[in-house]
Amino acid sequence: MLLGIDVGGTHTDVVVIAPSGVVGAAKVNTDPENLLASVRQALEEVRSVLGGQVPTRFALSTTLCTNALVQGTTEAVGMVLFGGPGIDPSLHAPTPHCTVVPGVVDHRGSVLEEFEAESLEQVVEQFAAQGLSAFACVGKFSPRNPEFEQQAAHHLASLGGWVTQGHHLSGELNFPRRINTAYFNSAVWTTFNGFADAVAAILDEYGFNCPVNLLKADAGTLPLQQARRVPVETIFSGPAASVMGISALCPVQDEAVLLDIGGTTTDVALFAGGVPVIERHGISLEGRPTLVKGLKTRSVGIGGDSAIEVHNGSITVGPQRFGPCLAQGGPRATLVDALNVTRRIAYGDTAASFRGLETVAHHLECSPARAAESVVEAACAGIRDAVQDLLAEVNQRPVYTVHEVLWGKGLHPQHLLLMGGPAAALAPCLEKALDMQASVPEHAAVANAIGAALARPTVCIELFADTQQRVMRIPALGVERSIGAGYDLEAAKQDALVALQETLEDSTLESGAAEILESSSMNMVRGMSMVGRDIRVRCQVRPGIASGYETTVRSVC
């Protein structure tokens, strides 16, 4: 049996899936102060279904990091940058706690300006005085020569916090994207690792010694221990789980919009030709492009527990969430309370919802019922705007899916797929706001957990070749062999894909089509002559639904 858990900012969902379908499912409240208790409570709800069996596989997704970004609760990051020819690193600083220190490496990895330990010691003292505990260091050409990043990390480690080194994140030579990626990796490190600690503790408690994977933003997977070092890869694991969940539940044939309406946010994703649209060059976070490969998604701070605000007669819903809804003992009226008052749902203490909407109605000078309708309409309008913005952005360029590039094709979806707790209650309103036919499949309330459970485990390898040294290496597989001077990028891609397939044949992982994630070839020049090529290729098994489970949970949409 497969076990899937999705830890959101509001709810933690769990499913147990057998070859016959979903055999257990539950939704419990998430306690951000005690994630261990939340995961334990969710597992207890399905423990009888497991009957003492250890799951074949345990997969997780979480929107905790996404929510932290949306709500502005990420950790402050102290950054050290090393420049290079032709660029001022300070122009790309994502945080005010950012310092450029001496030390320059060129595109060949040669040192043009030496590292100054004294300058870095001053920065360390400055960060200590600011009380920072998360750090990142990035050099312009660090994938060619990581020496300065490694020295900076050594000094910053004396402060006791986490240090992200840019060259650990990607081999691509895109300095601004690597700066942003390193920054976000450290900004969410504490949030993610609190979640990982809770998961590790519960695994020990239940004696689960099965493989544990976490979804990445591109719907691939990472082993939990590896994800601890690169949490930036998992920031959009929640939306990725949404896409995988709806892909498992609904036979999407053409274009569609997916809305996953959670407690804190609504995640938007798109399908073209029946498959998810991806972000070709790396996702953007808070408007800053990164090197993280991912599905094309958008998170808007409107969810079931988003707080209702009234300013000068205008209603806003979210992005702030101050706790659960009034109907569940929370401190402020939320969208769920409005849905209670409109009688679309009857959730928890409905009388508390009515009392809360009376206050909103007083500010609007109307009845509580009218105020509640206005709140629901405002929420749907906000979600509609997010969908339209994403469609406009996608239609400005070629549309990339996990399978192909759709040149000159604009997306004009007419089908709306809804999932998440409030999905059914908001379906008529969203159908009207977006002028699309809405579907809410069976198990929509726990579709994220289904997506996590059914995501195909993926594996990623990286190949390095130096034709001057006549050597090719794949460190993760312990491969090293001699190559000729004519070895080129195409040969490297082929070798990487073959090595990946051979790895799958020798492991318990299921086979699947492979994809190239990154590839580059740089000519190495000495004097006036080219002396060789520096080649890098990264590839992985293409994400998808696990083999044998493609139609297990399929419903009519």
Side-chain angles (χ1 to χ4, degrees), residues 38-127:
S38 303
V39 176
R40 181 189 293 117
Q41 185 184 357
L43 287 177
E44 283 299 316
E45 294 287 333
V46 297
R47 192 167 195 168
S48 61
V49 176
L50 289 170
Q53 295 184 57
V54 174
T56 310
R57 193 167 66 234
F58 185 10
L60 303 114
S61 61
T62 178
T63 58
L64 291 175
C65 295
T66 310
N67 294 346
L69 289 173
V70 171
Q71 296 183 296
T73 57
T74 53
E75 195 163 1
V77 179
M79 293 200 74
V80 172
L81 302 181
F82 299 97
I87 192 169
D88 180 358
S90 63
L91 297 176
H92 302 281
T95 165
H97 309 292
C98 188
T99 302
V100 181
V101 299
V104 174
V105 170
D106 70 10
H107 67 286
R108 291 172 294 188
S110 302
V111 175
L112 301 182
E113 179 184 347
E114 290 294 340
F115 172 83
E116 290 184 7
E118 295 79 10
S119 298
L120 192 57
E121 287 298 338
Q122 294 175 8
V123 176
V124 170
E125 291 177 7
Q126 174 189 326
F127 287 167

Side-chain angles (χ1 to χ4, degrees), residues 257 270 386-396 411-413 434 436:
V257 174
L270 303 173
V387 171
Q388 292 177 342
D389 285 349
L390 183 59
L391 281 170
E393 181 182 321
V394 167
N395 285 335
Q396 288 176 357
L411 293 187
H412 305 284
L434 285 158
M436 298 182 194

